[in-house]
Amino acid sequence: MISFRPMTKDEYPAYLEYFIHDYACEIESNYRVSFRDSLTRAKQEISEMLPEGVNTLGQVLMCIVAHSDKANSHVGYLWYKPDSTKRSVFIYDFHIFNSSQGLGLGKQSLGAFEAYLQEKGFKEIRLRVAGDNARARHVYETSGFGVTGVNMSKSITD
């Protein structure tokens, strides 16, 4: 069984450490810029989107918890923004820790999140997947997500 709990202020630095590095790698790979520039961009974007960390109004940061007969384990993160007018949420980040991957927890977490949102009256989950992230795309597609567009870019500098 999967559940979600609010991320604590004490857990936020570990989340930032994971997210900034992971996002910088995505920027570097997909936009063909140096890691240094990617890291700067990742830090800037997260400071703009989460200026108050876990207390940023309109943003929800959660920990994913897997429950078993033996233990409850923190297995990942979920960051989303609800839009109550459109009755939708946008997932900014969904991550299952490397040590917990390959166990079906991604699909279970998405299913549990969908049920959680339905109970609250939401009707749609939206997200973006990096072009080179085949594993994530597979998890989303097998969980019922469909492609709604394709982001493209072209560098016009030397």
Side-chain angles (χ1 to χ4, degrees), residues 7-146:
M7 184 183 297
T8 67
K9 188 176 178 179
D10 291 339
E11 291 169 319
Y12 187 66
Y15 175 71
L16 280 181
E17 185 177 329
Y18 138 74
F19 180 81
I20 289 172
H21 182 267
D22 188 69
Y23 187 41
C25 289
E26 177 185 320
I27 293 168
E28 177 186 34
S29 174
N30 287 280
Y31 294 95
R32 297 173 191 89
V33 295
S34 72
F35 185 74
R36 181 176 169 222
D37 290 345
S38 298
L39 193 58
T40 299
R41 180 174 161 187
K43 287 178 181 178
Q44 179 183 353
E45 286 186 25
I46 197 143
S47 70
E48 290 171 359
M49 294 197 63
L50 296 171
E52 301 298 322
V54 297
N55 297 317
T56 301
L57 189 63
Q59 303 285 349
V60 181
L61 291 161
M62 302 185 84
C63 293
I64 302 168
V65 179
H67 303 271
S68 70
D69 294 339
K70 298 177 184 177
N72 298 334
S73 302
H74 177 200
V75 297
Y77 299 117
L78 176 63
W79 168 21
Y80 70 96
K81 180 177 184 174
D83 183 330
S84 56
T85 304
K86 294 180 181 176
R87 304 309 302 158
S88 68
V89 301
F90 186 89
I91 296 176
Y92 283 101
D93 186 41
F94 171 64
H95 178 68
I96 301 296
F97 300 146
N98 293 341
S99 61
S100 298
Q101 290 182 7
L103 305 173
L105 295 174
K107 291 176 192 169
Q108 289 176 44
S109 296
L110 288 171
F113 187 53
E114 183 177 330
Y116 170 82
L117 292 174
Q118 283 178 326
E119 288 177 15
K120 295 187 172 294
F122 287 94
K123 308 235 181 258
E124 181 183 39
I125 303 170
R126 298 179 304 121
L127 53 81
R128 179 194 163 279
V129 180
D132 65 349
N133 195 340
R135 184 178 190 147
R137 188 168 172 170
H138 172 76
V139 169
Y140 295 129
E141 287 175 345
T142 59
S143 296
F145 286 78

